[in-house]
């Protein structure tokens, strides 16, 4: 049974009509298929899908990103990679089932795959904690990312989470520290890292794994520091103002690409990724292949510098720095006082020596 969003009522009616036309034997004695009417209805459906999905507002985009039929990380891992070997445990506390991790092959190349998994039905969603990672999940990914870095293996992450788990137990086990360590680990890796936001990229739970060489989003995915409902509750004390919050937060792929927070948008099938899984698989495969190939000629230091420069540039293109391309990765620019001191170092030393000599002579003769 298909699930429809509240703005898809016209699409639902057209698809129901189309199903009846394709299966006439269940409809009041009809005995043949009306191909002309089917073609006309299909054209009307395609037109309606294009009309609706070409003008989604930020809140509608959020609803599409959260669609329960949307392909999850496990779907991409199962269909994009070969010889996937799942690895579990953080070696400190336990296993976090909200994140799938393991080594696999992509086009014959070894890769580390990390996928935040929400689950496909109620039972698996509870088991996966709705994709909300706990500290042991982040520590597991840190362990494996460091292992991949040691053996020069690229890392591919699928981001799909409303945020890190806010439970008491998670806080007691160091949730904030685990997220901070994960971001630190991502930033210092010397292998290519690709983060693909396939649905919801929420809060620090997403940023912990998306501090990557390339941050890529599906067309109808979202990526934000907080959920629209949470933002509306904080700013307006009213969670119903989520549309205003979603507009202000610039959480859609188009807005984030314009702000240069992300690097690429992967186009989705008309009506969302869940309407044509084969097409979205093909698009994601093409993007991964293209980006991995781009890093093959780069050295480890160049990969590290590229990632650091990328994050240093965010938010500076319309700010106080006139040329963000000249940002350095590791060196800090000297301020005016330091520059003045370095140029006149000899004069300072001679002056200080002269003053000390005068002081010495004064103390002797007086």
């Amino acid at each position: 049974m298909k699930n429809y969003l509240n703005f898809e009522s016209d699409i639902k009616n057209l698809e129901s009509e189309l199903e009846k036309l394709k299966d006439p034997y269940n409809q009041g004695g009809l005995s043949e298929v009306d191909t002309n009417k089917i073609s006309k209805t299909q054209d009307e459906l395609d037109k309606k899908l294009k009309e609706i999905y070409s003008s989604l507002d930020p809140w509608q985009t959020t609803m599409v990103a959260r669609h329960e039929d949307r392909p999850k990380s496990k779907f991409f891992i199962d269909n994009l990679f070969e010889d996937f070997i799942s690895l579990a445990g953080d070696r400190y506390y336990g296993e976090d089932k909200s994140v799938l991790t393991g080594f696999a092959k992509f086009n014959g190349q070894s890769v580390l795959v990390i996928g935040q998994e929400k689950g496909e039905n109620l039972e698996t969603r509870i088991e996966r904690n709705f994709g909300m990672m706990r500290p042991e999940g982040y520590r597991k990914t840190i362990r494996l990312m460091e292992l991949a870095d040691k053996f020069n293996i690229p890392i591919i992450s699928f981001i799909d989470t409303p945020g890190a788990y806010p439970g008491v137990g998670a806080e007691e086990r160091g949730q904030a520290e685990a997220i901070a360590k994960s971001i630190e680990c991502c930033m210092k890796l010397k292998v290519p890292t690709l983060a693909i936001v396939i649905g919801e990229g929420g809060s620090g739970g997403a940023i912990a794994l998306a501090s990557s060489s390339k941050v890529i989003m599906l067309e109808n995915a979202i990526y934000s520091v907080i959920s629209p409902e949470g933002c509306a509750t904080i700013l307006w004390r009213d969670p119903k103002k989520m549309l205003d919050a979603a507009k202000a937060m610039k959480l859609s792929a188009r807005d984030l690409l314009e702000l240069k927070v992300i690097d690429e948008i992967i186009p989705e099938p008309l009506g969302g990724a869940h309407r044509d899984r084969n097409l979205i698989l093909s698009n994601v495969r093409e993007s991964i292949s293209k980006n991995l190939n781009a890093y093959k000629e780069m050295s480890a230091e160049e990969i590290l510098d590229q990632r650091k420069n990328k994050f240093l540039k965010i938010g500076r293109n319309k700010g106080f720095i006139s040329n963000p391309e000249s940002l350095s990765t590791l060196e800090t620019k000297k301020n005016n006082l330091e520059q003045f001191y370095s140029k006149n170092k000899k004069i300072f030393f001679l002056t200080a020596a002269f003053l000390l000599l005068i002081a010495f002579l004064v103390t002797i003769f007086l």
Side-chain angles (χ1 to χ4, degrees), residues 281-316:
L281 266 180
S282 176
N283 292 346
V284 171
R285 182 182 289 108
E286 183 182 345
S287 176
I288 294 174
S289 180
K290 175 187 68 177
N291 284 291
L292 286 181
N293 288 335
Y295 284 100
K296 282 185 177 177
E297 302 301 320
M298 294 176 66
S299 68
E301 290 302 323
E302 287 173 335
I303 290 170
L304 179 64
D305 288 348
Q306 181 270 334
R307 187 186 304 116
K308 288 185 176 180
N309 265 329
K310 164 187 157 56
F311 283 96
L312 283 169
K313 290 173 187 175
I314 291 176
R316 296 176 185 261

Short mmCIF file of all heavy atoms in Angstrom, two decimals, residues 281-316:
data_model
loop_
_atom_site.label_atom_id
_atom_site.label_comp_id
_atom_site.label_asym_id
_atom_site.label_seq_id
_atom_site.Cartn_x
_atom_site.Cartn_y
_atom_site.Cartn_z
N LEU A 281 19.16 4.75 -7.45
CA LEU A 281 20.36 3.93 -7.28
C LEU A 281 21.40 4.29 -8.34
O LEU A 281 22.59 4.45 -8.04
CB LEU A 281 20.01 2.44 -7.40
CG LEU A 281 19.72 1.65 -6.13
CD1 LEU A 281 19.40 0.22 -6.48
CD2 LEU A 281 20.89 1.71 -5.16
N SER A 282 20.95 4.40 -9.57
CA SER A 282 21.85 4.73 -10.68
C SER A 282 22.48 6.10 -10.47
O SER A 282 23.69 6.29 -10.69
CB SER A 282 21.08 4.69 -12.00
OG SER A 282 21.88 5.10 -13.07
N ASN A 283 21.69 7.08 -10.03
CA ASN A 283 22.19 8.44 -9.82
C ASN A 283 23.22 8.49 -8.69
O ASN A 283 24.24 9.18 -8.79
CB ASN A 283 21.04 9.39 -9.52
CG ASN A 283 20.14 9.61 -10.72
OD1 ASN A 283 20.49 9.26 -11.84
ND2 ASN A 283 18.96 10.17 -10.49
N VAL A 284 22.94 7.76 -7.60
CA VAL A 284 23.87 7.74 -6.46
C VAL A 284 25.16 7.03 -6.84
O VAL A 284 26.26 7.48 -6.50
CB VAL A 284 23.21 7.07 -5.23
CG1 VAL A 284 24.22 6.87 -4.12
CG2 VAL A 284 22.04 7.92 -4.72
N ARG A 285 25.04 5.92 -7.57
CA ARG A 285 26.22 5.18 -8.01
C ARG A 285 27.13 6.06 -8.89
O ARG A 285 28.36 6.07 -8.73
CB ARG A 285 25.81 3.93 -8.79
CG ARG A 285 26.99 3.07 -9.24
CD ARG A 285 26.55 1.87 -10.04
NE ARG A 285 25.89 0.87 -9.22
CZ ARG A 285 24.59 0.61 -9.25
NH1 ARG A 285 23.79 1.29 -10.09
NH2 ARG A 285 24.06 -0.31 -8.48
N GLU A 286 26.52 6.79 -9.78
CA GLU A 286 27.28 7.67 -10.68
C GLU A 286 28.01 8.75 -9.89
O GLU A 286 29.18 9.06 -10.17
CB GLU A 286 26.33 8.31 -11.70
CG GLU A 286 27.01 9.19 -12.72
CD GLU A 286 26.02 9.84 -13.68
OE1 GLU A 286 24.85 9.38 -13.74
OE2 GLU A 286 26.43 10.79 -14.37
N SER A 287 27.34 9.32 -8.89
CA SER A 287 27.95 10.38 -8.09
C SER A 287 29.12 9.85 -7.28
O SER A 287 30.20 10.48 -7.22
CB SER A 287 26.90 10.99 -7.15
OG SER A 287 27.49 11.94 -6.30
N ILE A 288 28.96 8.69 -6.64
CA ILE A 288 30.04 8.10 -5.84
C ILE A 288 31.24 7.80 -6.72
O ILE A 288 32.39 8.12 -6.38
CB ILE A 288 29.56 6.82 -5.13
CG1 ILE A 288 28.49 7.17 -4.08
CG2 ILE A 288 30.73 6.10 -4.46
CD1 ILE A 288 27.85 5.94 -3.43
N SER A 289 30.99 7.19 -7.86
CA SER A 289 32.07 6.83 -8.78
C SER A 289 32.84 8.06 -9.24
O SER A 289 34.08 8.08 -9.25
CB SER A 289 31.48 6.08 -9.98
OG SER A 289 32.49 5.71 -10.89
N LYS A 290 32.12 9.11 -9.61
CA LYS A 290 32.74 10.35 -10.10
C LYS A 290 33.62 10.98 -9.02
O LYS A 290 34.76 11.39 -9.28
CB LYS A 290 31.65 11.32 -10.53
CG LYS A 290 32.14 12.69 -10.96
CD LYS A 290 30.98 13.64 -11.20
CE LYS A 290 30.27 13.98 -9.90
NZ LYS A 290 29.17 14.95 -10.08
N ASN A 291 33.10 11.04 -7.79
CA ASN A 291 33.84 11.70 -6.71
C ASN A 291 35.04 10.89 -6.23
O ASN A 291 36.08 11.46 -5.91
CB ASN A 291 32.90 12.01 -5.54
CG ASN A 291 32.00 13.20 -5.81
OD1 ASN A 291 32.46 14.33 -5.88
ND2 ASN A 291 30.71 12.95 -6.01
N LEU A 292 34.90 9.57 -6.19
CA LEU A 292 36.05 8.75 -5.81
C LEU A 292 37.17 8.86 -6.84
O LEU A 292 38.35 8.93 -6.48
CB LEU A 292 35.64 7.28 -5.64
CG LEU A 292 34.82 6.93 -4.39
CD1 LEU A 292 34.51 5.45 -4.36
CD2 LEU A 292 35.55 7.33 -3.11
N ASN A 293 36.81 8.89 -8.11
CA ASN A 293 37.81 9.02 -9.18
C ASN A 293 38.55 10.36 -9.09
O ASN A 293 39.74 10.44 -9.42
CB ASN A 293 37.16 8.87 -10.55
CG ASN A 293 36.75 7.43 -10.84
OD1 ASN A 293 37.32 6.49 -10.29
ND2 ASN A 293 35.75 7.25 -11.69
N ALA A 294 37.84 11.39 -8.64
CA ALA A 294 38.45 12.72 -8.56
C ALA A 294 39.57 12.78 -7.52
O ALA A 294 40.47 13.62 -7.62
CB ALA A 294 37.38 13.76 -8.22
N TYR A 295 39.53 11.89 -6.54
CA TYR A 295 40.53 11.90 -5.47
C TYR A 295 41.69 10.94 -5.72
O TYR A 295 42.65 10.93 -4.95
CB TYR A 295 39.88 11.57 -4.12
CG TYR A 295 39.08 12.71 -3.56
CD1 TYR A 295 37.70 12.76 -3.67
CD2 TYR A 295 39.71 13.76 -2.89
CE1 TYR A 295 36.96 13.80 -3.16
CE2 TYR A 295 38.99 14.83 -2.38
CZ TYR A 295 37.62 14.84 -2.50
OH TYR A 295 36.91 15.90 -2.00
N LYS A 296 41.62 10.15 -6.77
CA LYS A 296 42.65 9.14 -7.00
C LYS A 296 44.03 9.75 -7.26
O LYS A 296 45.05 9.15 -6.92
CB LYS A 296 42.24 8.24 -8.16
CG LYS A 296 41.20 7.19 -7.77
CD LYS A 296 40.91 6.23 -8.90
CE LYS A 296 39.93 5.15 -8.45
NZ LYS A 296 39.58 4.23 -9.55
N GLU A 297 44.07 10.92 -7.86
CA GLU A 297 45.35 11.55 -8.19
C GLU A 297 45.85 12.48 -7.09
O GLU A 297 46.91 13.10 -7.24
CB GLU A 297 45.20 12.35 -9.50
CG GLU A 297 44.74 11.53 -10.70
CD GLU A 297 45.69 10.39 -11.01
OE1 GLU A 297 46.92 10.61 -10.91
OE2 GLU A 297 45.22 9.29 -11.34
N MET A 298 45.12 12.58 -5.98
CA MET A 298 45.51 13.49 -4.90
C MET A 298 46.28 12.76 -3.82
O MET A 298 45.96 11.61 -3.48
CB MET A 298 44.27 14.17 -4.31
CG MET A 298 43.56 15.10 -5.28
SD MET A 298 42.03 15.81 -4.61
CE MET A 298 42.67 16.84 -3.30
N SER A 299 47.27 13.42 -3.25
CA SER A 299 48.03 12.84 -2.14
C SER A 299 47.24 12.97 -0.85
O SER A 299 46.24 13.69 -0.77
CB SER A 299 49.37 13.56 -1.99
OG SER A 299 49.16 14.90 -1.56
N ALA A 300 47.71 12.28 0.20
CA ALA A 300 47.03 12.32 1.50
C ALA A 300 46.97 13.74 2.05
O ALA A 300 45.93 14.18 2.58
CB ALA A 300 47.74 11.39 2.48
N GLU A 301 48.08 14.49 1.92
CA GLU A 301 48.11 15.87 2.42
C GLU A 301 47.18 16.77 1.64
O GLU A 301 46.52 17.65 2.20
CB GLU A 301 49.55 16.42 2.38
CG GLU A 301 50.49 15.77 3.38
CD GLU A 301 50.02 15.92 4.82
OE1 GLU A 301 49.46 16.99 5.14
OE2 GLU A 301 50.21 14.98 5.60
N GLU A 302 47.09 16.57 0.34
CA GLU A 302 46.18 17.37 -0.48
C GLU A 302 44.73 17.10 -0.11
O GLU A 302 43.91 18.02 -0.08
CB GLU A 302 46.42 17.06 -1.96
CG GLU A 302 47.71 17.64 -2.52
CD GLU A 302 48.00 17.18 -3.94
OE1 GLU A 302 47.52 16.09 -4.33
OE2 GLU A 302 48.72 17.90 -4.66
N ILE A 303 44.41 15.85 0.16
CA ILE A 303 43.04 15.50 0.57
C ILE A 303 42.70 16.17 1.89
O ILE A 303 41.61 16.74 2.06
CB ILE A 303 42.89 13.96 0.69
CG1 ILE A 303 42.94 13.32 -0.71
CG2 ILE A 303 41.59 13.59 1.39
CD1 ILE A 303 43.05 11.81 -0.70
N LEU A 304 43.64 16.14 2.83
CA LEU A 304 43.43 16.77 4.14
C LEU A 304 43.26 18.28 3.99
O LEU A 304 42.34 18.88 4.57
CB LEU A 304 44.61 16.45 5.05
CG LEU A 304 44.58 17.05 6.46
CD1 LEU A 304 43.41 16.48 7.25
CD2 LEU A 304 45.88 16.78 7.19
N ASP A 305 44.14 18.91 3.20
CA ASP A 305 44.06 20.36 3.01
C ASP A 305 42.77 20.77 2.31
O ASP A 305 42.16 21.79 2.64
CB ASP A 305 45.26 20.85 2.20
CG ASP A 305 46.56 20.82 3.01
OD1 ASP A 305 46.46 20.64 4.24
OD2 ASP A 305 47.64 20.96 2.41
N GLN A 306 42.35 19.98 1.33
CA GLN A 306 41.11 20.29 0.60
C GLN A 306 39.92 20.30 1.54
O GLN A 306 39.06 21.18 1.49
CB GLN A 306 40.90 19.27 -0.52
CG GLN A 306 39.66 19.50 -1.36
CD GLN A 306 38.43 18.77 -0.83
OE1 GLN A 306 38.54 17.75 -0.16
NE2 GLN A 306 37.25 19.30 -1.13
N ARG A 307 39.86 19.32 2.45
CA ARG A 307 38.74 19.24 3.37
C ARG A 307 38.75 20.43 4.34
O ARG A 307 37.71 21.04 4.61
CB ARG A 307 38.79 17.93 4.15
CG ARG A 307 37.55 17.69 5.02
CD ARG A 307 37.68 16.46 5.90
NE ARG A 307 37.96 15.27 5.11
CZ ARG A 307 39.06 14.56 5.21
NH1 ARG A 307 40.02 14.93 6.03
NH2 ARG A 307 39.24 13.48 4.47
N LYS A 308 39.92 20.76 4.85
CA LYS A 308 40.01 21.88 5.80
C LYS A 308 39.66 23.20 5.13
O LYS A 308 38.93 24.03 5.69
CB LYS A 308 41.41 21.93 6.41
CG LYS A 308 41.68 20.80 7.39
CD LYS A 308 43.02 20.94 8.07
CE LYS A 308 43.19 19.83 9.11
NZ LYS A 308 44.50 19.92 9.79
N ASN A 309 40.17 23.41 3.92
CA ASN A 309 39.83 24.63 3.19
C ASN A 309 38.35 24.73 2.93
O ASN A 309 37.75 25.81 3.00
CB ASN A 309 40.60 24.67 1.87
CG ASN A 309 41.89 25.47 1.98
OD1 ASN A 309 41.97 26.41 2.75
ND2 ASN A 309 42.89 25.08 1.22
N LYS A 310 37.74 23.61 2.60
CA LYS A 310 36.30 23.57 2.29
C LYS A 310 35.49 24.11 3.47
O LYS A 310 34.60 24.94 3.30
CB LYS A 310 35.89 22.14 1.97
CG LYS A 310 34.40 21.87 2.01
CD LYS A 310 34.11 20.39 1.85
CE LYS A 310 32.78 20.01 2.41
NZ LYS A 310 31.66 20.77 1.86
N PHE A 311 35.81 23.66 4.68
CA PHE A 311 35.04 24.09 5.85
C PHE A 311 35.42 25.50 6.30
O PHE A 311 34.58 26.23 6.83
CB PHE A 311 35.20 23.09 6.99
CG PHE A 311 34.36 21.86 6.79
CD1 PHE A 311 34.90 20.72 6.22
CD2 PHE A 311 33.02 21.85 7.12
CE1 PHE A 311 34.13 19.59 6.00
CE2 PHE A 311 32.24 20.72 6.91
CZ PHE A 311 32.79 19.59 6.35
N LEU A 312 36.67 25.91 6.07
CA LEU A 312 37.06 27.27 6.40
C LEU A 312 36.34 28.30 5.54
O LEU A 312 36.11 29.43 5.96
CB LEU A 312 38.58 27.43 6.24
CG LEU A 312 39.45 26.85 7.37
CD1 LEU A 312 40.91 26.85 6.95
CD2 LEU A 312 39.27 27.63 8.65
N LYS A 313 35.99 27.92 4.32
CA LYS A 313 35.36 28.85 3.38
C LYS A 313 33.87 29.05 3.65
O LYS A 313 33.27 30.02 3.18
CB LYS A 313 35.54 28.36 1.95
CG LYS A 313 36.96 28.43 1.44
CD LYS A 313 37.07 27.77 0.07
CE LYS A 313 38.51 27.68 -0.37
NZ LYS A 313 38.64 26.93 -1.64
N ILE A 314 33.24 28.12 4.36
CA ILE A 314 31.79 28.19 4.55
C ILE A 314 31.43 29.48 5.30
O ILE A 314 31.97 29.79 6.36
CB ILE A 314 31.27 26.97 5.34
CG1 ILE A 314 31.39 25.71 4.47
CG2 ILE A 314 29.81 27.17 5.76
CD1 ILE A 314 30.99 24.43 5.19
N GLY A 315 30.51 30.25 4.73
CA GLY A 315 30.03 31.47 5.36
C GLY A 315 30.90 32.69 5.15
O GLY A 315 30.57 33.78 5.62
N ARG A 316 32.01 32.55 4.41
CA ARG A 316 32.92 33.69 4.24
C ARG A 316 32.77 34.38 2.91
O ARG A 316 33.34 35.45 2.70
CB ARG A 316 34.37 33.23 4.39
CG ARG A 316 34.70 32.69 5.78
CD ARG A 316 36.13 32.17 5.83
NE ARG A 316 36.44 31.55 7.10
CZ ARG A 316 37.09 32.13 8.09
NH1 ARG A 316 37.47 33.39 7.96
NH2 ARG A 316 37.34 31.50 9.20
#
